Amino acid sequence: MKVTVFGATGGVGREVITQALDRGDHVTAYVRNPAKLGLTHPDLTVIAGELTDREEVRRAVRGADAVVSALGPSLDRKATGTPLVDGTRAIVEAMQAEGVERYIGMATPSLRDPRDTSSLLGLIVPFMGRTFLPRAYRELLAMSRLVTNSPLDWTIARFTRPTDGARTGTVRAGYLGRDRIRASITRADIATFLLDQSTDPRFHRSAPAISN
């Protein structure tokens, strides 16, 4: 497959790229600083640019079978603005312009899915976000809603506490209050789940919660 990855230099994004290359995909990584990526591979194309560079974003998604966004709001309390809202808008518009339908992203349980029912995670995570990281909370919801309100064929994986460590190969996926979802999941397993969604139809236009 041809996969375009945004947020490629982050912990999850780097795992997505590595695993996609290992399984034989051609990967286009969109990054601000190619030196920070530090990866070379015959099937890896690196495009340097800002999310505000709409023509470059469009070039990055052109011809892709799926777009994986590993973008997430900064948790720095000194951060200002909501740059990923405009960045996500640019990605969505570029995909629509290029006829690319499959979008796979990530969020936290602050984003609700209509299939959720009452749960402890569903209460605690939004409360913590609104209380302690209000800017990041608003940015996450706004960027997610740009995707969920679009006509794209999207899946957004929600998780609470990403951890380092090797891929376990065991991922629980479902909806809060209905399925047994825990708090932690390794970044390697997150990446595997995101890539699996490129061919798995179970969670089209839904936001499953995932954990180990």
Side-chain angles (χ1 to χ4, degrees):
M1 297 188 72
K2 294 181 179 179
V3 180
T4 298
V5 182
F6 293 90
T9 58
V12 174
R14 186 179 295 273
E15 280 284 349
V16 169
I17 290 173
T18 301
Q19 292 184 31
L21 292 172
D22 285 346
R23 73 179 195 177
D25 293 339
H26 179 86
V27 180
T28 297
Y30 192 83
V31 297
R32 284 187 295 178
N33 182 1
K36 190 176 179 182
L37 183 61
L39 291 174
T40 58
H41 191 282
D43 291 326
L44 174 63
T45 299
V46 179
I47 297 179
E50 300 284 344
L51 290 173
T52 52
D53 299 335
R54 291 180 177 266
E55 287 304 315
E56 290 300 285
V57 170
R58 185 167 174 175
R59 182 164 75 92
V61 306
R62 186 171 296 142
D65 297 302
V67 170
V68 177
S69 173
L71 296 168
S74 170
L75 302 183
D76 185 349
R77 294 185 184 183
K78 296 179 181 178
T80 59
T82 54
L84 294 188
V85 177
D86 289 337
T88 301
R89 182 179 292 107
I91 294 169
V92 169
E93 290 177 354
M95 291 178 66
Q96 291 179 266
E98 292 296 329
V100 179
E101 296 183 351
R102 192 71 178 112
Y103 176 102
I104 303 157
M106 60 187 203
T108 75
S110 290
L111 174 69
R112 297 283 295 173
D113 185 280
R115 286 156 281 252
D116 290 341
T117 61
S118 180
S119 70
L120 188 60
L121 278 178
L123 292 172
I124 290 177
V125 175
F127 172 78
M128 297 290 284
R130 289 192 303 267
T131 305
F132 299 106
L133 295 165
R135 188 209 60 82
Y137 173 82
R138 292 192 301 270
E139 185 171 37
L140 176 70
L141 291 185
M143 60 190 285
S144 298
R145 285 167 181 159
L146 280 171
V147 176
T148 60
N149 290 336
S150 78
L152 297 178
D153 180 9
W154 55 267
T155 298
I156 296 178
R158 298 174 295 160
F159 51 87
T160 303
R161 190 167 70 87
T163 63
D164 293 327
R167 179 171 41 173
T168 70
T170 301
V171 177
R172 297 181 179 192
Y175 301 99
L176 299 178
R178 291 178 47 184
D179 299 290
R180 195 176 175 188
I181 306 298
R182 297 176 176 174
S184 299
I185 183 169
T186 67
R187 291 178 176 85
D189 284 321
I190 294 169
T192 300
F193 183 83
L194 295 178
L195 283 171
D196 285 348
Q197 301 320 296
S198 61
T199 55
D200 189 339
R202 289 181 300 159
F203 296 114
H204 284 200
R205 294 190 66 82
S206 66
I210 62 173
S211 73
N212 286 135

